[in-house]
Amino acid sequence: MMKETKKIPYKIYLEESEMPKKWYNVRADMKNKPAPLLNPGTLEPMTFEELRGVFCDELVRQELDDTTPYFDIPQEIQDFYKMYRPSPLVRAYCLEESLQTPAKIYYKFEGNNTSGSHKLNSAIAQAYYAKKQGLKGVTTETGAGQWGTALSMACAYLGLDCQVYMVKCSYEQKPFRREVMRTYGANVTPSPSDTTNVGRKILSEHPGTSGSLGCAISEAVEAAVSQDGYRYVLGSVLSQVLLHQSVIGLETKAALDKYGITPDVIIGCAGGGSNLGGLISPFMGEKLRGEKDYQIIAVEPASCPSLTRGRYAYDFCDTGMVCPLAKMYTLGSGFIPSPNHAGGLRYHGMSSVLSQLYDDKLMEAISIEQTAVFGAATKFARIEGILPAPESSHAIKAAMDEAIKCKETGEEKTIVFGLTGTGYFDMMAYEKFNNGEMTDYIPSDEDLAKGFAGLPEV
């Protein structure tokens, strides 16, 4: 057995020639398709014409296509990907040794680019289609700042204007992430702000609010539709984003296949669903086609538990209620999560694709408190040498727990998790943890009931 394990290197790298040439659309293999986006006024499915006022034309086509299994990755995007892809699949030998587990642990590391996360995979695609359409610029929201950083990089590369509405608590907690965006030429506004009608409305109803992704989305959409030559782009939740992020899973599968490795458990953190959806896509495809079976675990913060405590219902994607209605696991668009330190996971809903897969019991979900998450993050940093983002650390904690279960049962399971990015701009959070000042906030049933009360009747 030892001889066999020695053959597997610490880092499995693909050659550039082995990088995916197509994105994989998991919806094509889903028997139960995700429910369509609805027009909040008519409650009819959103049409191409309605969506193209907000999104780029090609992205709308991708969003509405539930049947095409593969989309060609344009050569220009493939060339950009080569600046930081393929990303390594790492065998966590040191972590296995520390945990004294018979489990084999692998992580797909997406933090090896300046934006520090997986978000660049979709940012360059969305910016490319905006540029191709002849637009002046794009607007967006960002939580922890990874998406805003990635989009500002992509826009700088292509010569597009980039306007970012950053969740206020992250804007204040992560000033250096904000400055990276500004260095790449983006205009960054703390949200909710007084620069939009919806921002002013939210501030009047919730004075002193720390903001949420739902608030920032509303402002970014309003900014896009009120300026000629601009469109709105989104870093998570939408089906087009999961499509672009499938490069993560396709590379992971190719690297595992190179060494004849079949995972038993696949784990990803879940906020809106971009990295989890991307990581699991080819494996879920095999599961849907009946070719293989995998245990797939979504990990979310206990402070914002959309899958584990939310309702599966149509809801607004944003707090200002200006976006289409999506059927998803949701805490209600009016739910403002506590300002926990995993800013990228502070979203009230979950991708419609992942929500449908979860409802069909094709994957599991768990929620974890942030003190336990940062405990795992600190241990991982000391053992594996990478300082992980708070979001990714949810997956780290779950992977460690699964490995410890294997130690108890003696099972030699193969565990794969997504390490979505680095935590170098999250040092205020690490400082709170190191000082023993970090606390856990878990919403009560009464807190959640307020959010559910605002769900639209569909």
Side-chain angles (χ1 to χ4, degrees):
M1 202 67 201
M2 279 305 293
K3 278 182 189 169
E4 187 187 319
T5 52
K6 274 184 184 169
K7 289 180 194 169
I8 297 169
Y10 271 86
K11 289 190 178 74
I12 302 174
Y13 280 105
L14 300 176
E15 299 290 331
E16 281 185 5
S17 59
E18 296 173 292
M19 285 169 60
K21 305 287 190 297
K22 296 173 188 287
W23 292 305
Y24 167 61
N25 180 12
V26 74
R27 290 169 287 163
D29 285 311
M30 290 171 67
K31 195 160 56 175
N32 297 325
K33 306 291 185 191
L37 295 170
L38 298 185
N39 181 314
T42 64
L43 300 185
E44 292 295 318
M46 293 290 289
T47 64
F48 176 83
E49 285 303 321
E50 287 171 327
L51 286 169
R52 68 185 301 235
V54 179
F55 301 107
C56 304
D57 290 1
E58 183 55 36
L59 295 170
V60 174
R61 290 187 191 97
Q62 293 175 3
E63 187 65 32
L64 296 177
D65 192 329
D66 284 348
T67 54
T68 304
Y70 289 94
F71 286 79
D72 288 330
I73 303 175
Q75 189 60 52
E76 294 92 329
I77 297 175
Q78 287 187 48
D79 291 343
F80 185 90
Y81 278 168
K82 284 173 188 170
M83 287 202 276
Y84 65 100
R85 306 204 70 84
S87 66
L89 179 70
V90 185
R91 174 75 181 269
Y93 281 113
C94 300
L95 184 61
E96 291 171 20
E97 178 65 28
S98 173
L99 297 174
Q100 288 291 292
T101 177
K104 298 169 183 66
I105 307 171
Y106 295 84
Y107 56 91
K108 180 66 164 168
F109 181 48
E110 289 289 309
N112 57 344
N113 65 75
T114 305
S115 77
S117 80
H118 69 294
K119 295 288 188 180
L120 200 51
N121 301 326
S122 186
I124 186 58
Q126 296 190 55
Y128 167 80
Y129 290 120
K131 180 77 172 178
K132 199 177 173 194
Q133 197 172 316
L135 299 174
K136 292 180 198 167
V138 292
T139 70
T140 197
E141 78 296 324
T142 193
Q146 288 103 325
W147 167 247
T149 307
L151 187 67
S152 62
M153 281 181 70
C155 287
Y157 181 78
L158 292 167
L160 285 169
D161 184 40
C162 181
Q163 299 173 8
V164 181
Y165 287 84
M166 187 174 186
V167 175
K168 189 175 282 178
C169 74
S170 289
Y171 184 93
E172 291 162 357
Q173 285 174 356
K174 305 181 200 307
F176 297 130
R177 184 96 67 188
R178 178 186 74 216
E179 291 312 310
V180 175
M181 289 183 245
R182 291 180 63 206
T183 301
Y184 278 109
N187 185 299
V188 189
T189 305
S191 172
S193 74
D194 60 4
T195 65
T196 64
N197 292 325
V198 72
R200 288 187 285 272
K201 182 171 183 283
I202 292 166
L203 284 171
S204 69
E205 291 171 3
H206 304 278
T209 178
S210 59
S212 72
L213 278 169
C215 298
I217 289 170
S218 299
E219 291 206 90
V221 170
E222 183 183 318
V225 298
S226 59
Q227 298 176 87
D228 283 338
Y230 281 75
R231 291 294 186 278
Y232 167 68
V233 295
L234 182 63
S236 192
V237 182
L238 292 176
S239 301
Q240 52 178 286
V241 179
L242 270 66
L243 174 74
H244 306 147
Q245 294 295 358
S246 66
V247 295
I248 303 171
L250 293 165
E251 280 189 11
T252 302
K253 189 166 185 325
L256 292 169
D257 287 349
K258 249 188 159 177
Y259 288 87
I261 304 159
T262 303
D264 299 294
V265 188
I266 303 164
I267 301 169
C269 63
S274 63
N275 98 89
L276 176 68
L279 175 68
I280 69 174
S281 62
F283 304 100
M284 183 60 81
E286 289 183 315
K287 190 166 176 163
L288 289 162
R289 295 188 299 270
E291 295 164 6
K292 279 185 185 162
D293 195 19
Y294 303 100
Q295 181 187 9
I296 295 171
I297 305 172
V299 193
E300 59 186 8
S303 60
C304 195
S306 55
L307 284 173
T308 51
R309 294 178 68 195
R311 289 193 186 159
Y312 193 32
Y314 267 106
D315 192 15
F316 287 95
C317 296
D318 64 315
T319 306
M321 302 184 184
V322 298
C323 288
L325 297 171
K327 190 176 183 190
M328 57 186 175
Y329 275 87
T330 178
L331 300 169
S333 63
F335 178 79
I336 305 274
S338 71
N340 74 35
H341 292 286
L345 304 185
R346 296 178 70 244
Y347 184 62
H348 65 272
M350 184 58 62
S351 147
S352 291
V353 173
L354 295 179
S355 292
Q356 185 65 59
L357 292 169
Y358 180 63
D359 200 60
D360 288 339
K361 305 206 166 24
L362 289 158
M363 60 185 225
E364 306 163 25
I366 58 172
S367 67
I368 304 178
E369 298 84 0
Q370 70 173 353
T371 50
V373 165
F374 273 86
T378 303
K379 185 167 186 173
F380 184 85
R382 292 173 183 178
I383 296 165
E384 284 290 322
I386 293 173
L387 185 75
E391 294 81 9
S392 315
S393 302
H394 288 70
I396 291 171
K397 173 71 170 96
M400 285 180 169
D401 289 349
E402 288 297 316
I404 289 163
K405 282 183 204 168
C406 289
K407 181 179 178 179
E408 291 161 0
T409 63
E411 293 174 282
E412 292 187 22
K413 285 185 179 177
T414 296
I415 300 164
V416 175
F417 72 89
L419 181 47
T420 58
T422 53
Y424 297 108
F425 291 123
D426 300 285
M427 297 321 297
M428 279 179 70
Y430 276 98
E431 181 186 28
K432 281 253 165 62
F433 179 76
N434 292 334
N435 289 346
E437 296 164 359
M438 185 175 282
T439 57
D440 292 320
Y441 172 75
I442 300 174
S444 65
D445 289 342
E446 290 74 27
D447 293 332
L448 297 184
K450 290 176 198 164
F452 297 144
L455 289 173
E457 287 187 28
V458 177

